[in-house]
């Protein structure tokens, strides 16, 4: 089953979606964090939830819209708000389902946010699987996702609409936050054994070599997926990722 709900706390309104089996008590929860310009209803989350719920009992997948994404009402994207949403989602899941068995599956920008959260706020997860994490989010944003015209608009104090299927308004302040958030300079040694990074060798957004180097430097388990692009659009590549993530979680 799937259910839409909202978290109303600390003056925030977070739009969420829960995948679950109503026949079993929820004992474990996977927090799914989407990528830039994504949303809680994305196909990758649904496919992962369907596979998980048909094979395992007592598990749910919890998705939510990041600030300015999906049905969220915020207009200005800020990293602090993203991390706050994550924190509130973790609190809500723990309190609602009375569980400490919390896992994380994050993609792209969601992977960047997860790594930043782990380094700066501690680790609330048993395990965290990151598919094509944007470990160099600033460089990918300014060098791949944004055109020269968009960058010029920002230099003039304007905002630019950036993204794929959905567009997100980005301002100079957000880019400055990304530039200051150097994941390579952060310490992940206390949590490195609890993280898995999967990355497609044909990723056109986040360079495979950059992700591989990050994992190597931070002593994080790294799984290359031969031929996969950033979104893992080939069903075989997505199936490989799902199987690896479930095995890593130990379900």
């Amino acid at each position: 089953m799937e259910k839409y709900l909202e978290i109303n706390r600390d003056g925030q309104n977070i739009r969420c979606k829960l995948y679950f089996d109503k026949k079993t008590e929820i004992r474990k929860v996977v927090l799914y964090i989407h990528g830039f310009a994504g949303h809680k209803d994305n196909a990758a989350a649904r496919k992962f939830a369907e596979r998980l719920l048909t094979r395992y009992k007592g598990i749910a997948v919890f998705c939510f819209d990041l600030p300015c994404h999906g049905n969220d009402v915020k207009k200005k994207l800020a990293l602090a708000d993203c991390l706050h949403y994550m924190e509130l989602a973790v609190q809500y899941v723990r309190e609602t389902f009375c569980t400490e068995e919390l896992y994380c599956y994050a993609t792209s920008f969601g992977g960047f946010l997860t790594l930043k959260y782990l380094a700066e706020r501690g680790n609330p997860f048993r395990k965290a699987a990151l598919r094509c994490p944007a470990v160099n989010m600033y460089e990918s944003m300014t060098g791949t996702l944004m055109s020269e015209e968009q960058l010029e608009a920002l230099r003039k104090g304007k905002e630019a609409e950036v993204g794929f299927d959905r567009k997100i308004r980005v301002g100079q302040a957000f880019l400055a936050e990304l530039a200051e958030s150097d994941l390579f300079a952060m310490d992940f040694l206390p949590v490195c054994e609890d993280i898995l990074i999967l990355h497609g060798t044909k990723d056109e957004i986040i360079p495979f070599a950059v992700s591989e180097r990050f994992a190597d430097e931070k002593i994080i388990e790294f799984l290359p997926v031969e031929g996969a692009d950033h979104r893992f659009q080939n069903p075989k590549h997505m199936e490989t990722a799902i199987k690896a993530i479930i095995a890593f979680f130990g379900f």
Side-chain angles (χ1 to χ4, degrees), residues 31-239:
L31 194 66
Y32 184 95
I33 306 174
H34 63 75
F36 185 81
H39 51 87
K40 63 184 177 299
D41 292 300
N42 74 84
R46 174 184 290 277
K47 186 175 182 65
F48 177 75
E50 289 175 349
R51 169 57 64 88
L52 197 60
L53 269 57
T54 55
R55 294 195 174 189
Y56 303 91
K57 302 299 182 182
I59 301 176
V61 177
F62 189 89
C63 312
F64 64 95
D65 287 331
L66 288 168
C68 303
H69 291 67
N71 299 121
D72 189 72
V73 298
K74 287 188 181 299
K75 301 300 182 183
K76 182 176 292 187
L77 183 59
L79 291 182
D81 288 336
C82 294
L83 298 183
H84 192 198
Y85 273 32
M86 289 179 63
E87 187 171 45
L88 293 178
V90 167
Q91 292 176 3
Y92 178 87
V93 167
R94 282 175 167 171
E95 294 171 4
T96 302
F97 304 109
C98 300
T99 181
E100 289 294 324
E101 291 203 56
L102 186 60
Y103 300 79
C104 178
Y105 174 14
T107 67
S108 195
F109 178 51
F112 165 85
L113 292 172
T114 300
L115 288 166
K116 184 175 174 64
Y117 190 102
L118 295 177
E120 298 179 352
R121 304 196 179 192
N123 184 16
F125 308 115
R126 295 287 180 91
K127 300 283 185 178
L130 314 178
R131 178 166 58 81
C132 300
V135 295
N136 62 337
M137 187 63 192
Y138 175 78
E139 289 78 7
S140 294
M141 179 69 76
T142 57
T144 304
L145 295 177
M146 299 183 70
S147 66
E148 182 55 39
E149 289 76 14
Q150 290 172 324
L151 292 171
E152 181 61 26
L154 264 65
R155 285 192 284 267
K156 293 180 179 179
K158 300 178 181 179
E159 292 183 326
E161 293 190 346
V162 186
F164 302 102
D165 301 329
R166 301 190 180 190
K167 305 295 184 181
I168 306 298
R169 292 170 62 186
V170 171
Q172 188 62 46
F174 178 68
L175 286 187
E177 285 187 308
L178 292 181
E180 294 171 0
S181 299
D182 182 4
L183 296 183
F184 280 86
M186 297 181 185
D187 180 21
F188 294 95
L189 188 59
V191 297
C192 63
E193 293 184 354
D194 300 322
I195 303 173
L196 168 68
I197 291 178
L198 306 93
H199 212 106
T201 60
K202 299 298 183 181
D203 193 323
E204 72 284 12
I205 304 296
I206 311 298
F208 173 84
V210 174
S211 184
E212 184 178 39
R213 177 166 63 87
F214 176 83
D216 182 61
E217 290 184 10
K218 303 303 178 182
I219 322 177
I220 293 173
E221 183 177 353
F222 184 80
L223 176 64
V225 180
E226 188 63 39
D229 61 5
H230 186 67
R231 294 187 179 185
F232 277 51
Q233 295 182 87
N234 186 317
K236 292 182 179 180
H237 296 151
M238 185 62 77
E239 184 66 21

